[in-house]
Amino acid sequence: MSVESSEVLLTSFADGYLISRAEIVTAINNSQPFDSFQILDTKFALKVDCFIQRRTPFDEESYDLAKAELRWHARSVSSCKNCAGST
């Protein structure tokens, strides 16, 4: 996410939500792990924490490994004869 692309997020959550441009910009520009900002739904009192995904080689490899593990689990469940919901 970039500061420029955060404008789309800000306009999408304009009505009925509390969201801070300054908090988003700070989270994007910091280089600390787990930088985040929050979106608050004022109608339902719901808070969503949004974490900034970095593009380091470690993060890219972690993401690729997670995707591979999800594909493996999906194949395992779809081929399981005794699993709930299988045909």
Side-chain angles (χ1 to χ4, degrees):
M1 173 182 262
S2 67
V3 174
E4 294 78 23
S5 66
S6 69
E7 290 300 320
V8 174
L9 187 68
L10 286 162
T11 56
S12 298
F13 287 97
D15 296 327
Y17 297 90
L18 295 177
I19 183 168
S20 167
R21 175 179 277 107
E23 191 177 3
I24 294 172
V25 170
T26 299
I28 291 170
N29 290 332
N30 280 344
S31 59
Q32 299 299 314
F34 310 113
D35 281 319
S36 65
F37 61 92
Q38 59 187 348
I39 301 171
L40 300 170
D41 182 326
T42 57
K43 182 177 180 183
F44 296 104
L46 175 70
K47 175 185 164 194
V48 177
D49 292 317
C50 304
F51 291 87
I52 303 296
Q53 180 181 358
R54 302 293 175 204
R55 295 284 184 177
T56 66
F58 177 81
D59 294 326
E60 293 293 328
E61 184 174 349
S62 296
Y63 183 65
D64 290 342
L65 289 171
K67 286 192 306 187
E69 187 173 339
L70 284 173
R71 284 192 298 271
W72 181 85
H73 284 292
R75 283 193 305 271
S76 295
V77 169
S78 66
S79 65
C80 180
K81 301 288 186 215
N82 298 320
C83 296
S86 63
T87 56

